[in-house]
CSV table of all heavy atoms in Angstrom, one decimal:
chain,number,residue,atom,x,y,z
V,15,LEU,N,-4.1,3.9,14.6
V,15,LEU,CA,-4.5,4.8,15.7
V,15,LEU,C,-5.8,4.4,16.3
V,15,LEU,O,-6.0,4.5,17.5
V,15,LEU,CB,-4.5,6.3,15.2
V,15,LEU,CG,-3.2,6.9,14.9
V,15,LEU,CD1,-3.4,8.2,14.1
V,15,LEU,CD2,-2.4,7.1,16.1
V,16,ARG,N,-6.7,4.0,15.5
V,16,ARG,CA,-8.1,3.5,16.0
V,16,ARG,C,-7.9,2.3,16.9
V,16,ARG,O,-8.5,2.3,18.0
V,16,ARG,CB,-9.0,3.2,14.8
V,16,ARG,CG,-10.3,2.5,15.2
V,16,ARG,CD,-11.1,2.1,14.1
V,16,ARG,NE,-10.5,1.0,13.2
V,16,ARG,CZ,-10.5,-0.2,13.6
V,16,ARG,NH1,-10.9,-0.7,14.7
V,16,ARG,NH2,-9.9,-1.1,12.7
V,17,THR,N,-7.1,1.3,16.5
V,17,THR,CA,-7.0,0.2,17.3
V,17,THR,C,-6.2,0.5,18.6
V,17,THR,O,-6.5,-0.1,19.7
V,17,THR,CB,-6.3,-1.0,16.5
V,17,THR,OG1,-5.1,-0.6,16.0
V,17,THR,CG2,-7.2,-1.5,15.4
V,18,GLU,N,-5.2,1.3,18.5
V,18,GLU,CA,-4.4,1.7,19.7
V,18,GLU,C,-5.3,2.5,20.7
V,18,GLU,O,-5.1,2.4,21.9
V,18,GLU,CB,-3.3,2.6,19.3
V,18,GLU,CG,-2.1,1.9,18.7
V,18,GLU,CD,-1.0,2.8,18.2
V,18,GLU,OE1,-1.1,4.0,18.3
V,18,GLU,OE2,0.0,2.3,17.6
V,19,ALA,N,-6.3,3.2,20.2
V,19,ALA,CA,-7.3,3.9,21.0
V,19,ALA,C,-8.3,3.0,21.6
V,19,ALA,O,-9.1,3.4,22.5
V,19,ALA,CB,-7.9,5.0,20.3
V,20,GLY,N,-8.4,1.7,21.1
V,20,GLY,CA,-9.3,0.7,21.7
V,20,GLY,C,-10.7,0.8,21.0
V,20,GLY,O,-11.6,0.2,21.5
V,21,TYR,N,-10.8,1.4,19.9
V,21,TYR,CA,-12.1,1.5,19.2
V,21,TYR,C,-12.3,0.3,18.2
V,21,TYR,O,-11.3,-0.1,17.5
V,21,TYR,CB,-12.2,2.7,18.3
V,21,TYR,CG,-12.4,4.0,19.0
V,21,TYR,CD1,-11.4,5.0,19.1
V,21,TYR,CD2,-13.7,4.3,19.5
V,21,TYR,CE1,-11.7,6.2,19.7
V,21,TYR,CE2,-13.9,5.5,20.1
V,21,TYR,CZ,-12.9,6.5,20.2
V,21,TYR,OH,-13.1,7.7,20.8
V,22,SER,N,-13.5,-0.2,18.1
V,22,SER,CA,-13.8,-1.1,17.0
V,22,SER,C,-14.1,-0.2,15.9
V,22,SER,O,-14.3,1.0,16.0
V,22,SER,CB,-15.1,-2.0,17.4
V,22,SER,OG,-16.2,-1.1,17.5
V,23,GLN,N,-14.2,-0.8,14.7
V,23,GLN,CA,-14.6,0.0,13.5
V,23,GLN,C,-16.0,0.6,13.7
V,23,GLN,O,-16.2,1.8,13.4
V,23,GLN,CB,-14.6,-0.9,12.2
V,23,GLN,CG,-13.4,-0.8,11.5
V,23,GLN,CD,-13.5,-1.5,10.1
V,23,GLN,OE1,-14.5,-2.0,9.7
V,23,GLN,NE2,-12.4,-1.5,9.4
V,24,GLU,N,-16.9,-0.2,14.2
V,24,GLU,CA,-18.3,0.3,14.4
V,24,GLU,C,-18.3,1.4,15.5
V,24,GLU,O,-19.0,2.4,15.3
V,24,GLU,CB,-19.2,-0.9,14.8
V,24,GLU,CG,-20.6,-0.5,14.9
V,24,GLU,CD,-21.5,-1.7,15.0
V,24,GLU,OE1,-21.1,-2.8,15.2
V,24,GLU,OE2,-22.8,-1.5,15.0
V,25,GLY,N,-17.6,1.2,16.6
V,25,GLY,CA,-17.6,2.2,17.6
V,25,GLY,C,-17.0,3.5,17.2
V,25,GLY,O,-17.4,4.6,17.5
V,26,PHE,N,-15.9,3.4,16.4
V,26,PHE,CA,-15.2,4.6,15.9
V,26,PHE,C,-16.1,5.3,14.9
V,26,PHE,O,-16.2,6.5,14.9
V,26,PHE,CB,-13.9,4.2,15.3
V,26,PHE,CG,-13.1,5.3,14.8
V,26,PHE,CD1,-12.5,6.2,15.7
V,26,PHE,CD2,-12.8,5.5,13.4
V,26,PHE,CE1,-11.8,7.3,15.3
V,26,PHE,CE2,-12.1,6.6,13.0
V,26,PHE,CZ,-11.6,7.5,13.9
V,27,ALA,N,-16.7,4.5,14.0
V,27,ALA,CA,-17.6,5.1,13.0
V,27,ALA,C,-18.8,5.9,13.8
V,27,ALA,O,-19.1,7.0,13.4
V,27,ALA,CB,-18.2,4.0,12.1
V,28,ASP,N,-19.3,5.3,14.8
V,28,ASP,CA,-20.4,6.0,15.6
V,28,ASP,C,-19.8,7.3,16.2
V,28,ASP,O,-20.5,8.3,16.1
V,28,ASP,CB,-20.9,5.1,16.7
V,28,ASP,CG,-21.8,4.0,16.1
V,28,ASP,OD1,-22.3,4.1,15.0
V,28,ASP,OD2,-22.1,3.0,16.9
V,29,TYR,N,-18.7,7.2,16.7
V,29,TYR,CA,-18.0,8.4,17.4
V,29,TYR,C,-17.8,9.5,16.3
V,29,TYR,O,-18.0,10.7,16.6
V,29,TYR,CB,-16.7,8.0,18.0
V,29,TYR,CG,-16.1,9.0,18.9
V,29,TYR,CD1,-16.7,9.4,20.1
V,29,TYR,CD2,-15.0,9.7,18.5
V,29,TYR,CE1,-16.1,10.4,20.9
V,29,TYR,CE2,-14.4,10.7,19.2
V,29,TYR,CZ,-15.0,11.0,20.5
V,29,TYR,OH,-14.4,12.0,21.2
V,30,CYS,N,-17.4,9.1,15.1
V,30,CYS,CA,-17.2,10.1,14.0
V,30,CYS,C,-18.4,10.6,13.3
V,30,CYS,O,-18.4,11.5,12.6
V,30,CYS,CB,-16.3,9.5,13.0
V,30,CYS,SG,-14.6,9.2,13.5
V,31,GLY,N,-19.5,9.8,13.5
V,31,GLY,CA,-20.8,10.1,12.8
V,31,GLY,C,-20.7,9.6,11.4
V,31,GLY,O,-21.3,10.2,10.5
V,32,LEU,N,-20.0,8.5,11.1
V,32,LEU,CA,-19.8,8.0,9.8
V,32,LEU,C,-20.3,6.5,9.9
V,32,LEU,O,-20.5,5.9,10.9
V,32,LEU,CB,-18.4,8.0,9.4
V,32,LEU,CG,-17.8,9.4,9.3
V,32,LEU,CD1,-16.3,9.3,9.1
V,32,LEU,CD2,-18.4,10.2,8.1
V,33,HIS,N,-20.5,5.9,8.7
V,33,HIS,CA,-20.9,4.5,8.6
V,33,HIS,C,-19.7,3.6,8.8
V,33,HIS,O,-18.6,3.9,8.3
V,33,HIS,CB,-21.6,4.2,7.3
V,33,HIS,CG,-22.4,3.0,7.3
V,33,HIS,ND1,-21.8,1.8,7.0
V,33,HIS,CD2,-23.7,2.7,7.6
V,33,HIS,CE1,-22.8,0.8,7.1
V,33,HIS,NE2,-23.9,1.4,7.5
V,34,ARG,N,-19.9,2.4,9.4
V,34,ARG,CA,-18.8,1.5,9.6
V,34,ARG,C,-18.1,1.1,8.3
V,34,ARG,O,-16.9,1.0,8.2
V,34,ARG,CB,-19.3,0.2,10.3
V,34,ARG,CG,-18.2,-0.8,10.6
V,34,ARG,CD,-18.7,-2.1,11.0
V,34,ARG,NE,-19.7,-2.7,10.0
V,34,ARG,CZ,-19.3,-3.3,8.9
V,34,ARG,NH1,-18.1,-3.4,8.5
V,34,ARG,NH2,-20.2,-3.8,8.1
V,35,THR,N,-18.9,0.9,7.2
V,35,THR,CA,-18.3,0.4,6.0
V,35,THR,C,-17.5,1.5,5.3
V,35,THR,O,-16.5,1.3,4.6
V,35,THR,CB,-19.4,0.0,5.0
V,35,THR,OG1,-20.3,1.0,4.7
V,35,THR,CG2,-20.1,-1.3,5.5
V,36,TYR,N,-17.8,2.8,5.6
V,36,TYR,CA,-17.0,3.9,5.1
V,36,TYR,C,-15.7,3.9,5.8
V,36,TYR,O,-14.7,4.1,5.2
V,36,TYR,CB,-17.8,5.2,5.4
V,36,TYR,CG,-17.1,6.4,4.7
V,36,TYR,CD1,-17.2,6.6,3.3
V,36,TYR,CD2,-16.5,7.4,5.4
V,36,TYR,CE1,-16.6,7.7,2.7
V,36,TYR,CE2,-15.9,8.5,4.9
V,36,TYR,CZ,-15.9,8.6,3.5
V,36,TYR,OH,-15.3,9.7,2.9
V,37,ILE,N,-15.7,3.7,7.2
V,37,ILE,CA,-14.4,3.7,7.9
V,37,ILE,C,-13.6,2.5,7.4
V,37,ILE,O,-12.4,2.7,7.2
V,37,ILE,CB,-14.7,3.5,9.4
V,37,ILE,CG1,-15.3,4.7,10.0
V,37,ILE,CG2,-13.4,3.2,10.2
V,37,ILE,CD1,-14.5,6.0,9.9
V,38,GLY,N,-14.2,1.4,7.1
V,38,GLY,CA,-13.4,0.2,6.5
V,38,GLY,C,-12.8,0.6,5.2
V,38,GLY,O,-11.7,0.2,4.9
V,39,ALA,N,-13.6,1.3,4.4
V,39,ALA,CA,-13.1,1.7,3.1
V,39,ALA,C,-11.9,2.7,3.2
V,39,ALA,O,-10.9,2.6,2.4
V,39,ALA,CB,-14.2,2.3,2.2
V,40,ILE,N,-12.0,3.6,4.2
V,40,ILE,CA,-10.9,4.5,4.4
V,40,ILE,C,-9.6,3.7,4.8
V,40,ILE,O,-8.5,3.9,4.3
V,40,ILE,CB,-11.2,5.5,5.6
V,40,ILE,CG1,-12.3,6.5,5.1
V,40,ILE,CG2,-10.0,6.2,6.1
V,40,ILE,CD1,-12.9,7.3,6.2
V,41,GLU,N,-9.8,2.8,5.7
V,41,GLU,CA,-8.7,2.0,6.2
V,41,GLU,C,-8.0,1.1,5.2
V,41,GLU,O,-6.9,0.8,5.2
V,41,GLU,CB,-9.1,1.2,7.4
V,41,GLU,CG,-9.4,2.0,8.6
V,41,GLU,CD,-9.8,1.2,9.9
V,41,GLU,OE1,-10.0,0.0,9.8
V,41,GLU,OE2,-10.0,1.8,10.9
V,42,ARG,N,-8.8,0.7,4.2
V,42,ARG,CA,-8.3,-0.1,3.1
V,42,ARG,C,-7.7,0.8,1.9
V,42,ARG,O,-7.3,0.3,0.9
V,42,ARG,CB,-9.4,-1.0,2.5
V,42,ARG,CG,-9.8,-2.1,3.5
V,42,ARG,CD,-10.7,-3.1,2.8
V,42,ARG,NE,-12.0,-2.5,2.3
V,42,ARG,CZ,-13.1,-2.3,3.0
V,42,ARG,NH1,-13.1,-2.6,4.3
V,42,ARG,NH2,-14.1,-1.7,2.5
V,43,GLY,N,-7.8,2.1,2.1
V,43,GLY,CA,-7.3,3.0,1.1
V,43,GLY,C,-8.2,3.1,-0.1
V,43,GLY,O,-7.7,3.5,-1.2
V,44,GLU,N,-9.5,2.8,0.0
V,44,GLU,CA,-10.4,2.8,-1.1
V,44,GLU,C,-11.1,4.2,-1.2
V,44,GLU,O,-11.8,4.4,-2.2
V,44,GLU,CB,-11.4,1.7,-0.9
V,44,GLU,CG,-10.8,0.3,-0.9
V,44,GLU,CD,-11.8,-0.8,-0.6
V,44,GLU,OE1,-13.0,-0.5,-0.2
V,44,GLU,OE2,-11.4,-1.9,-0.7
V,45,ARG,N,-11.0,5.0,-0.3
V,45,ARG,CA,-11.8,6.3,-0.3
V,45,ARG,C,-10.8,7.5,-0.3
V,45,ARG,O,-9.8,7.5,0.4
V,45,ARG,CB,-12.7,6.4,0.9
V,45,ARG,CG,-13.8,5.5,1.0
V,45,ARG,CD,-14.8,5.8,-0.1
V,45,ARG,NE,-16.0,5.0,0.1
V,45,ARG,CZ,-17.2,5.3,-0.4
V,45,ARG,NH1,-17.3,6.4,-1.1
V,45,ARG,NH2,-18.2,4.5,-0.3
V,46,ASN,N,-11.2,8.5,-1.1
V,46,ASN,CA,-10.6,9.8,-1.0
V,46,ASN,C,-11.4,10.6,0.0
V,46,ASN,O,-12.6,10.8,-0.2
V,46,ASN,CB,-10.6,10.5,-2.4
V,46,ASN,CG,-9.6,10.0,-3.3
V,46,ASN,OD1,-8.5,9.8,-2.9
V,46,ASN,ND2,-9.9,9.9,-4.6
V,47,LEU,N,-10.8,11.0,1.1
V,47,LEU,CA,-11.5,11.8,2.1
V,47,LEU,C,-11.6,13.3,1.7
V,47,LEU,O,-10.6,13.8,1.3
V,47,LEU,CB,-10.8,11.7,3.4
V,47,LEU,CG,-11.0,10.3,4.1
V,47,LEU,CD1,-9.9,9.4,3.6
V,47,LEU,CD2,-10.8,10.5,5.6
V,48,THR,N,-12.8,13.9,2.0
V,48,THR,CA,-12.8,15.3,1.9
V,48,THR,C,-12.1,15.9,3.1
V,48,THR,O,-11.8,15.2,4.1
V,48,THR,CB,-14.3,15.8,2.0
V,48,THR,OG1,-14.9,15.5,3.2
V,48,THR,CG2,-15.1,15.2,0.8
V,49,THR,N,-11.8,17.2,3.0
V,49,THR,CA,-11.1,17.8,4.2
V,49,THR,C,-12.0,17.8,5.4
V,49,THR,O,-11.5,17.6,6.5
V,49,THR,CB,-10.7,19.2,3.8
V,49,THR,OG1,-11.8,20.0,3.3
V,49,THR,CG2,-9.6,19.2,2.8
V,50,ASP,N,-13.3,17.9,5.2
V,50,ASP,CA,-14.2,17.9,6.4
V,50,ASP,C,-14.2,16.5,7.0
V,50,ASP,O,-14.2,16.4,8.3
V,50,ASP,CB,-15.7,18.2,5.9
V,50,ASP,CG,-15.8,19.6,5.5
V,50,ASP,OD1,-15.0,20.5,5.9
V,50,ASP,OD2,-16.8,19.9,4.8
V,51,THR,N,-14.2,15.4,6.2
V,51,THR,CA,-14.2,14.1,6.8
V,51,THR,C,-12.8,13.8,7.5
V,51,THR,O,-12.8,13.2,8.5
V,51,THR,CB,-14.5,13.0,5.7
V,51,THR,OG1,-15.8,13.3,5.2
V,51,THR,CG2,-14.5,11.6,6.3
V,52,LEU,N,-11.8,14.2,6.8
V,52,LEU,CA,-10.5,14.1,7.3
V,52,LEU,C,-10.4,14.8,8.7
V,52,LEU,O,-9.8,14.2,9.6
V,52,LEU,CB,-9.4,14.6,6.4
V,52,LEU,CG,-8.0,14.4,6.7
V,52,LEU,CD1,-7.6,13.0,6.9
V,52,LEU,CD2,-7.1,15.1,5.7
V,53,GLU,N,-10.9,15.9,8.8
V,53,GLU,CA,-10.9,16.7,10.1
V,53,GLU,C,-11.7,15.9,11.2
V,53,GLU,O,-11.2,15.8,12.3
V,53,GLU,CB,-11.5,18.1,9.9
V,53,GLU,CG,-11.5,18.9,11.2
V,53,GLU,CD,-12.1,20.3,10.9
V,53,GLU,OE1,-13.0,20.4,10.1
V,53,GLU,OE2,-11.6,21.2,11.6
V,54,ARG,N,-12.8,15.3,10.8
V,54,ARG,CA,-13.6,14.6,11.8
V,54,ARG,C,-12.9,13.4,12.3
V,54,ARG,O,-12.9,13.0,13.5
V,54,ARG,CB,-14.9,14.1,11.1
V,54,ARG,CG,-15.9,15.2,10.9
V,54,ARG,CD,-17.0,14.8,10.0
V,54,ARG,NE,-18.0,13.9,10.6
V,54,ARG,CZ,-19.1,13.5,10.0
V,54,ARG,NH1,-19.4,14.0,8.8
V,54,ARG,NH2,-19.9,12.7,10.6
V,55,VAL,N,-12.2,12.6,11.4
V,55,VAL,CA,-11.5,11.4,11.7
V,55,VAL,C,-10.3,11.8,12.6
V,55,VAL,O,-10.0,11.2,13.6
V,55,VAL,CB,-11.0,10.7,10.5
V,55,VAL,CG1,-10.0,9.6,10.8
V,55,VAL,CG2,-12.2,10.1,9.7
V,56,ALA,N,-9.6,12.9,12.2
V,56,ALA,CA,-8.4,13.3,13.0
V,56,ALA,C,-8.8,13.7,14.4
V,56,ALA,O,-8.1,13.3,15.4
V,56,ALA,CB,-7.7,14.4,12.3
V,57,LYS,N,-9.9,14.5,14.5
V,57,LYS,CA,-10.3,14.9,15.8
V,57,LYS,C,-10.7,13.7,16.7
V,57,LYS,O,-10.4,13.7,17.9
V,57,LYS,CB,-11.5,15.9,15.7
V,57,LYS,CG,-11.1,17.3,15.4
V,57,LYS,CD,-12.3,18.2,15.4
V,57,LYS,CE,-11.9,19.6,15.0
V,57,LYS,NZ,-13.0,20.5,15.1
V,58,ALA,N,-11.4,12.8,16.1
V,58,ALA,CA,-11.8,11.6,16.8
V,58,ALA,C,-10.6,10.8,17.3
V,58,ALA,O,-10.6,10.1,18.4
V,58,ALA,CB,-12.7,10.7,16.0
V,59,LEU,N,-9.5,10.8,16.6
V,59,LEU,CA,-8.3,10.2,16.9
V,59,LEU,C,-7.4,11.0,17.8
V,59,LEU,O,-6.3,10.6,18.2
V,59,LEU,CB,-7.5,9.8,15.7
V,59,LEU,CG,-8.1,8.7,14.8
V,59,LEU,CD1,-7.4,8.6,13.5
V,59,LEU,CD2,-8.2,7.4,15.5
V,60,ARG,N,-7.8,12.2,18.1
V,60,ARG,CA,-7.1,13.2,18.9
V,60,ARG,C,-5.7,13.6,18.4
V,60,ARG,O,-4.7,13.7,19.1
V,60,ARG,CB,-7.0,12.7,20.4
V,60,ARG,CG,-8.4,12.6,21.1
V,60,ARG,CD,-8.2,12.2,22.5
V,60,ARG,NE,-9.5,12.3,23.2
V,60,ARG,CZ,-10.5,11.5,23.2
V,60,ARG,NH1,-10.6,10.6,22.3
V,60,ARG,NH2,-11.6,11.8,23.9
Side-chain angles (χ1 to χ4, degrees):
L15 290 170
R16 173 186 61 78
T17 56
E18 286 174 2
Y21 284 110
S22 66
Q23 267 189 357
E24 188 170 4
F26 185 67
D28 286 343
Y29 188 73
C30 292
L32 300 168
H33 196 275
R34 181 195 55 78
T35 58
Y36 188 73
I37 295 296
I40 290 170
E41 291 181 355
R42 290 187 301 276
E44 298 172 353
R45 293 289 186 161
N46 281 318
L47 285 85
T48 65
T49 52
D50 291 341
T51 302
L52 185 59
E53 182 180 34
R54 287 165 73 175
V55 169
K57 281 185 179 182
L59 294 169
R60 292 181 169 77

